[in-house]
Amino acid sequence: LFRSSPSSVALAPAIESECKCPMWSCCCTDAGAEGEITVKEQLANQTLVKTEKALGEDEIPPSQSTDGCTQPASQIYEVDLEVEHEDVCGLTLDTTNDTFPIVKTMKGAAQAWNNACPSGMEIKLYDRLLKVEDEDVVSHGIAQKLESKDKKKLKLTFKRPVEKELLLKKPGQLGITINYKKSSLGIWIATLGEGLVMSWNQANPDKAVREDDRIIAVNGVRGDSNTIVTRLRENCDTVILTVLSY
């Protein structure tokens, strides 16, 4: 699967399982709420844990499509938040991926929008923030862009991911590297090379995943980033990845 980066740190206790995989391990320091922002506050950076590919010479059989259904496209939508006085917009963003801020929690003006907006237009967990007032944004500097100041309304553009399930059968390596921090929502695909995931993409183009997509479950088990990494270490013949694709 992977081997760990030489610069690593303490993980939460590993989840016990019947099948353990000695191929790789990762760890990280207790980051608390680092790697997220609540509009007016940019928290200190946290060490990123990055795994490295360890591609083998195994013959990689193509993955088979589980059904003939076409996956829906990611949805892009706009919201106009009513921001009063010093009230922030009410969003906490996961900014652990430098170029890819996503929604982590909602309250205040954001929750008020969700309570009153048309069905299907709610801001949801994992939605990617694309623009603030029609200006493209990345994680760096986003807190300043979201400050309400004298504005009474704040226009935000989001992208909602599509959940995809990949059924991968060994032998073979996944062929991906992953990045995450302890405070991350899931783990994200940093690079995608030759391996089971690329074979899946080629065999299932309507269910293909890409770099920056988030892995949120492994073999049906969801949880924090440490839980997901632990599950990836298990030595199982079949790996089912649940991925939010943007």
Side-chain angles (χ1 to χ4, degrees), residues 33-38 91-105 125-127 129 139 142 181-188 214:
E34 295 183 8
E36 63 183 41
I37 61 169
T38 55
L91 290 173
T92 298
L93 299 174
D94 180 345
T95 58
T96 51
N97 184 337
D98 291 339
T99 61
F100 223 84
I102 63 174
V103 175
K104 192 169 186 177
T105 64
L125 189 71
Y126 289 102
D127 285 357
L129 180 59
S139 296
I142 197 171
K181 296 177 185 175
K182 187 174 180 181
S183 61
S184 302
L185 284 174
I187 60 180
W188 69 90
R214 295 256 169 168

Side-chain angles (χ1 to χ4, degrees), residues 1 23 54-61 170-173 194-196 199:
L1 262 181
M23 297 184 192
L55 295 177
E57 300 298 326
D58 308 61
E59 180 181 357
I60 303 174
K170 296 181 180 180
Q173 305 295 327
E194 293 293 333
L196 295 177
S199 294

Side-chain angles (χ1 to χ4, degrees), residues 3-245:
R3 59 177 178 269
S4 62
S5 165
S7 58
S8 303
V9 242
L11 268 193
I15 290 185
E16 302 207 355
S17 104
E18 295 181 355
C19 50
K20 300 278 187 180
C21 175
M23 297 184 192
W24 71 288
S25 62
C26 296
C27 38
C28 61
T29 54
D30 187 353
E34 295 183 8
E36 63 183 41
I37 61 169
T38 55
V39 182
K40 290 193 175 181
E41 182 179 13
Q42 177 66 56
L43 298 178
N45 291 331
Q46 174 194 353
T47 301
L48 186 70
V49 177
K50 181 174 182 178
T51 61
E52 300 174 358
K53 282 188 294 185
L55 295 177
E57 300 298 326
D58 308 61
E59 180 181 357
I60 303 174
S63 302
Q64 296 182 351
S65 178
T66 54
D67 58 56
C69 298
T70 301
Q71 292 287 315
S74 300
Q75 173 191 357
I76 295 177
Y77 65 99
E78 294 180 352
V79 306
D80 290 307
L81 299 185
E82 300 282 348
V83 182
E84 298 180 1
H85 308 298
E86 294 301 317
D87 180 31
V88 296
C89 71
L91 290 173
T92 298
L93 299 174
D94 180 345
T95 58
T96 51
N97 184 337
D98 291 339
T99 61
F100 223 84
I102 63 174
V103 175
K104 192 169 186 177
T105 64
M106 294 150 289
K107 60 182 180 180
Q111 188 57 54
W113 166 269
N114 282 356
N115 294 339
C117 71
S119 177
M121 294 293 291
E122 300 89 352
I123 304 170
K124 294 186 177 181
L125 189 71
Y126 289 102
D127 285 357
R128 178 187 180 185
L129 180 59
L130 292 176
K131 297 180 179 182
V132 176
E133 299 291 349
D134 294 320
E135 182 179 351
D136 293 340
V137 296
V138 293
S139 296
H140 178 70
I142 197 171
Q144 290 72 28
K145 295 182 184 297
L146 285 171
E147 288 180 354
S148 58
K149 295 183 179 178
D150 297 328
K151 296 179 182 177
K152 294 185 178 180
K153 285 192 176 182
L154 190 62
K155 181 181 178 182
L156 305 177
T157 304
F158 293 93
K159 187 172 189 179
R160 177 153 303 147
V162 174
E163 184 172 308
K164 300 178 180 180
E165 190 172 273
L166 285 64
L167 177 62
L168 311 174
K169 294 184 178 293
K170 296 181 180 180
Q173 305 295 327
L174 293 184
I176 61 175
T177 61
I178 58 167
N179 281 354
Y180 72 100
K181 296 177 185 175
K182 187 174 180 181
S183 61
S184 302
L185 284 174
I187 60 180
W188 69 90
I189 299 172
T191 65
L192 202 166
E194 293 293 333
L196 295 177
V197 175
M198 182 173 286
S199 294
W200 168 271
N201 284 351
Q202 293 167 349
N204 304 274
D206 59 326
K207 298 180 181 178
V209 296
R210 64 189 73 182
E211 292 178 0
D212 292 316
D213 286 353
R214 295 256 169 168
I215 300 172
I216 61 169
V218 178
N219 292 335
V221 177
R222 301 186 181 225
D224 60 20
S225 57
N226 290 333
T227 298
I228 296 169
V229 168
T230 298
R231 293 297 175 178
L232 277 175
R233 297 172 59 190
E234 295 178 350
N235 188 18
C236 302
D237 293 334
T238 299
V239 178
I240 300 174
L241 299 181
T242 305
V243 180
L244 291 180
S245 181

